[in-house]
Amino acid sequence: MSNPPRLIVATRNAHKTEEIRAILGNRFEVLDATAFPEFPEIEETGQTFLENARLKAEGISRQIDGWVLSDDSGLEVDALGGAPGVWSSSFGGEEGNHGKNNERLLREMAGKTDRGARFRCTMVLARDGKERANFSGTVEGTLVDALRGAGGFGYDPLFIPEGHERTFAELGDEVKNSLSHRSRALAKVTDWLEVHF
Ligand code: ITT
């Protein structure tokens, strides 16, 4: 049997890679920054998920040969006018500190009756420094007023997806990966790759 095709995920967030690996199963060999010492640091200077996803996919694929997939994602909260959005990973003041991010979200949502929110994920596929296609996926839901559950990452302990009563962190990986923003974007990626790979 031949080896599955390689997909290089333009991320340093191990949780994203784990989810992408779990969703794709054995259809692709999924690698990320940990497999490449030369993985460049990409500054996310974009104002939208798509701009940042482009910067990551094109930047990494300029340095590394093969199909590169980026994931720019975040939480949009209705009562906060769509914040934290593209700034989700540093909302609490420190890049990638999920505890501080959740503390700030709880603080800003205290007493708010509109609890609507969605996760959004935008993915870009690139090769040789150029975008080849982009995709996105969302999942609607509501925010709870205290952390619930130990699974997932980021804002998962505060987010109940539509049609459920438990947070992503309580529902666990299998349920999350069956309906998340990431899995919805990834379904479009795999459809595209089946035609173009
Ligand atoms: P890379 O840029 O290296 O991929 P990152 O974590 O900085 O990693 P983003 O800039 O896309 O990635 O920010 C994503 C943030 O959005 C992440 O840190 C979480 O705060 C939030 N987020 C995205 N997807 C999530 C999910 O499935 N569950 C919970 N929070 C999520």
Side-chain angles (χ1 to χ4, degrees), residues 12-89:
R12 294 185 184 277
N13 180 333
H15 296 285
K16 287 185 182 176
T17 312
E18 264 168 45
E19 289 186 5
I20 291 170
R21 223 175 245 141
I23 294 162
L24 293 179
N26 53 14
R27 283 179 288 170
F28 293 90
E29 183 194 6
V30 176
L31 302 174
D32 68 7
T34 54
F36 301 93
E38 73 274 30
F39 216 76
E41 198 65 60
I42 308 287
E43 251 200 280
E44 295 185 39
T45 52
Q47 300 293 305
T48 64
F49 292 112
L50 182 56
E51 283 171 14
N52 283 335
R54 249 178 214 142
L55 286 171
K56 291 189 268 192
E58 293 187 340
I60 302 294
S61 78
R62 236 170 258 133
Q63 307 286 326
I64 295 171
D65 198 30
W67 284 101
V68 173
L69 176 72
S70 63
D71 166 325
D72 204 67
S73 44
L75 181 72
E76 297 173 346
V77 179
D78 294 340
L80 305 180
V86 280
W87 293 280
S88 290
S89 74

